[in-house]
Amino acid sequence: MRFLLTNDDGIDAPGLALLARVAGRLGEVFVVAPDGERSAVSRGLSLYQPLRLHERRPGWFACDGTPADAIYVALHHLQLAPDLVLSGINPGPNLGHDIHYSGTVAAALEAAWHGVPALALSHDSRDTAFFATMDQRLETLLRALLALPLTSALALNVNLPSAARGPWRGVRLTTVGSRRYSTEVIQRADPRGRPYLWLGGAQVTMADVPGSDCNALADGQVSVTPLGDDLCLHDRLADLQAALGDAASTSMQD
Ligand code: MN
C-alpha cells in the first residue's frame, strides 16, 4: 500500500510525524505538505503565484502553497499515484462547520475529487504532547479503517478523542454536527500604532445532534464521517422551483 501524507500544519508538525511513523508500518510513505502553518485555508489553490517544491529528504517534499496545492502537485506533477491519502493529524478537532474551513479536511476532499480515497485525521486536543503515546491505538484504528471499502471519491473525516481522556471507546460512523465559535473581532494597535483586527472567538458551542460527529467525540468515540463535495440542498429544489413560478419558463435576453 502506498500512502501520500499531507496536513495543514506544516511538514514539521508533530501530528504528521506520528502519522508517518504509524503509516510506515503499514506501507510505503510519501509526504507532500505545506512548508508551514496553513490551518483554516480551506481548499484554496495557488493559481496566481508560483509554487516552490523542496525535497527535504527522500520522499518528503515541502511546498510553499496550500494543502490542496500539495495534493495537486503530488498527484499531477510528482505522479506519486498513492492508494490512499492521509491528512493530519491536526491538533484540534474538525467537527461540524469546521469542515468548510479546515485545510486538513480540504486536502482529503481534493484527493477524493482526483479519484484517490482519503482520510482526514484530527485530534480533540491542541496539546501535541499526547501524540507520543498514541502510536499503538492509531495503528489499530488505521488497520480497521483500511479494511473499509475505500472507493475513489470518498473522503473520511476522522476525529480522535483526546488521548488525555483515556482509551478510545470504539468507532462510530457519524453525520456532520453543529459547532459554532463566538464571533469576536478584536482590534488592537500594532507597534507602529496602526490598528489591526484579529478574527474568531475562543468560545465554542456544540449542539446536541444525535448521530453527529460532535456527539461521538463527546462520548469518547472515534468519529468517522463520509464526506463528498455536494453542497446542494436537494430538499429545497422542489419548493424553490414552485416559488420561481412563471420566471422558470420565461425566455430572457438583453
Ligand atoms: Mn491545522
Side-chain angles (χ1 to χ4, degrees), residues 7-10 37-40 89-92 94 102-104 126:
N7 69 0
D8 73 357
D9 308 306
E37 177 66 76
R38 301 289 191 285
S39 291
I89 296 171
N90 192 67
N94 279 303
S102 165
T104 308
R126 295 185 194 286

Side-chain angles (χ1 to χ4, degrees), residues 88-173:
I89 296 171
N90 192 67
N94 279 303
L95 300 165
H97 219 70
D98 294 341
I99 62 173
H100 294 286
Y101 301 97
S102 165
T104 308
V105 173
L109 287 170
E110 184 69 9
W113 173 242
H114 294 283
V116 182
L119 311 184
L121 297 124
S122 307
H123 181 240
D124 188 25
S125 169
R126 295 185 194 286
D127 187 349
T128 58
F130 297 108
F131 284 178
T133 70
M134 285 166 54
D135 220 89
Q136 204 50 56
R137 67 173 78 185
L138 186 64
E139 182 177 336
T140 305
L141 175 68
L142 281 182
R143 286 187 188 282
L145 296 179
L146 290 179
L148 295 173
L150 299 174
T151 52
S152 65
L154 178 66
L156 294 181
N157 185 33
V158 181
N159 279 279
L160 312 170
S162 172
R165 291 175 56 193
W168 296 339
R169 298 184 194 137
V171 182
R172 193 194 294 175
L173 264 294

Side-chain angles (χ1 to χ4, degrees), residues 29-54:
V29 168
F30 290 88
V31 175
V32 185
D35 58 6
E37 177 66 76
R38 301 289 191 285
S39 291
V41 300
S42 188
R43 198 155 151 192
L45 283 179
S46 301
L47 298 182
Y48 299 99
Q49 61 199 61
L51 280 178
R52 313 264 178 204
L53 199 60
H54 296 285

Side-chain angles (χ1 to χ4, degrees), residues 142-221:
L142 281 182
R143 286 187 188 282
L145 296 179
L146 290 179
L148 295 173
L150 299 174
T151 52
S152 65
L154 178 66
L156 294 181
N157 185 33
V158 181
N159 279 279
L160 312 170
S162 172
R165 291 175 56 193
W168 296 339
R169 298 184 194 137
V171 182
R172 193 194 294 175
L173 264 294
T174 56
T175 57
V176 179
S178 174
R179 188 169 189 262
R180 269 184 194 276
Y181 298 84
S182 51
T183 50
E184 292 102 89
V185 179
I186 293 165
Q187 179 170 321
R188 290 189 182 152
D190 72 16
R192 308 222 189 284
R194 295 169 303 192
Y196 67 88
L197 304 177
W198 200 273
L199 299 189
Q203 290 289 106
V204 182
T205 50
M206 294 197 293
D208 178 9
V209 180
S212 69
D213 48 7
C214 301
N215 282 34
L217 231 60
D219 293 341
Q221 293 183 304

